[in-house]
Amino acid sequence: MKSQTKQYAYGAGLLLIGLLSGYLLFGSSGQDMHDHDLVMTDENGEGVWTCSMHPSVREDGPGQCPICGMDLIPATSEPGDDDHSMVMTEAAVQLANIRTTGVTEQLPMHEIRLPGRIKVDERRLTNITAHVSGRIRELYINFTGAPIQTGQAMASIYSPQLVTAQRELLSAVRRSGPQSEIAESARQKLRQWEMTEAQIDAVISSGEVRQNMEIVSPVDGYIITRNIVREDHVGEGSVLFEVANLQQVWGIFEAYEDDLPWLHQGDTVRFSSPSHPGHVFAAEVSYIHPVVDPQTRTVQIRVDIANTDGHLKPGMLVSGRVNSGGREGPRKMIPASAVLWTGPRSVVFVRDPASEVPRFEVREIELGNRAGDLYIVESGLEPGEEVVTEGAFRLDSEFQLSGRFSMMNR
């Protein structure tokens, strides 16, 4: 018996708390509630009943909620309101902690953080190939990463084709002289096989055929791939070395899809590397990849970076930042906290400045890109209007309870 009495007392206490909350939110007295609240009717003039837990429920008479089983209550409205607005008391506004912020016009600025890494500039890669078949006799550059300069010997090769071509050159020089057309034709043949003028002149000066001919580098850079060892047999067109010039490198950054509207060629990317703490590098966006990676949903953003001091090395991780925006001039902006989302719809609550009592209107608007904690407003609001930035969900629930236009009810 005592247990039942306690349960009844507990239930009565909860009911009293609920009544007190309703008193504070929607009127200064019970009499005010009866004076101002009107039972909502449908188009046939019959009362509309709803569920306090599920405002979307609309019935034409009393009963139980088909969702939770609670007793239905009459849906109410206030005189002077319409489907898109509601009047509240000052006490209710304070209790619901409703705060508003004005719609402003300003330059939209957005900071984008971009993870990335340093890569070799693909335009500065050179393959050193064998232009004749032969056998590698000596390897002067014998490890990956070695620096190389233009004209430096990389390897020597024995090739029957080169031996025969040298004999033809010496024979033409002896018969017709070094300036004859026949001698020039023989020299041109060796040039096509990438023999340098110095090598050709050395053969003519010595008057002897060189069995092993050196392969020299046509570029400066670093060996990033070595495909041969001593005594390898190579064919015409075989790639012997891959050389990269690192005086300029690429920074490849990853940008998410929703950041793409803010990124443009020419934007400045400031980035740093863990290997150089405290130092900030800067470069301009030179290319935005046209394809989205289906796995990461990101797009590669490329910058060209001068690297004459060699501080940046391929494979190095970097962290970039772009401050972008303001290309189209000032735009209407509102705080992101003011927006209620429901699928493609964006809903805000606007305070009526002309009303003597707090009156709020629900409005569907069209948004543009997000800029930090703000959204660009494309249509639906004007500068100077006050939008609710705190308490919007409380307002929306009351709009739903009274059957008005809301986030979930059109």
Side-chain angles (χ1 to χ4, degrees), residues 26 71 284 368 401 406:
F26 302 110
D71 289 338
E284 290 187 353
L401 280 170
S406 66

Side-chain angles (χ1 to χ4, degrees), residues 112-119 251-256 259 263 269-272 274 296 298-303 316-322:
I112 307 168
R113 295 191 176 273
L114 304 170
R117 66 177 64 238
I118 301 300
K119 290 189 176 182
I252 304 296
F253 296 91
E254 302 289 333
Y256 287 104
D259 287 328
L263 292 168
V269 179
R270 291 177 172 81
F271 61 95
S272 58
T296 62
T298 60
V299 171
Q300 290 189 349
I301 308 297
R302 191 183 80 205
V303 300
M316 185 178 288
L317 295 177
V318 290
S319 177
R321 186 178 71 254
V322 175

Side-chain angles (χ1 to χ4, degrees), residues 159-188:
S159 171
Q161 291 174 280
L162 288 177
V163 170
T164 300
Q166 290 178 77
R167 287 173 179 164
E168 292 175 356
L169 173 63
L170 292 175
S171 176
V173 169
R174 283 193 294 267
R175 290 199 312 268
S176 306
Q179 306 301 324
S180 65
E181 291 185 4
I182 298 176
E184 180 59 28
S185 177
R187 290 174 70 100
Q188 185 60 29

Side-chain angles (χ1 to χ4, degrees), residues 279-291:
H279 185 77
V280 177
F281 302 87
E284 290 187 353
V285 175
S286 59
Y287 186 71
I288 299 176
H289 202 279
V291 179

Side-chain angles (χ1 to χ4, degrees), residues 134-139 156 228-234:
R135 184 172 79 250
I136 302 299
R137 300 306 302 271
E138 295 292 338
L139 199 60
S156 65
I228 55 171
V229 296
R230 292 181 68 245
E231 300 302 323
D232 267 353
H233 284 262
V234 297

Side-chain angles (χ1 to χ4, degrees), residues 78-128:
E78 294 190 18
D81 288 347
D82 55 36
D83 287 342
H84 289 76
S85 65
M86 176 180 286
V87 173
M88 299 179 68
T89 65
E90 290 289 354
V93 170
Q94 294 179 9
L95 187 61
N97 196 30
I98 293 174
R99 300 288 184 271
T100 61
T101 302
V103 180
T104 60
E105 272 195 308
Q106 56 183 292
L107 288 175
M109 297 299 297
H110 185 52
E111 182 180 79
I112 307 168
R113 295 191 176 273
L114 304 170
R117 66 177 64 238
I118 301 300
K119 290 189 176 182
V120 173
D121 187 336
E122 295 174 0
R123 299 165 299 186
R124 293 172 175 260
L125 286 173
T126 302
N127 283 335
I128 310 300

Side-chain angles (χ1 to χ4, degrees), residues 144-148 220-225 242-247 310 313:
T144 303
I148 192 73
D220 296 336
Y222 291 86
I223 305 298
I224 62 172
T225 306
E242 189 175 15
V243 179
N245 186 318
L246 302 181
Q247 295 291 300
K313 306 183 185 305

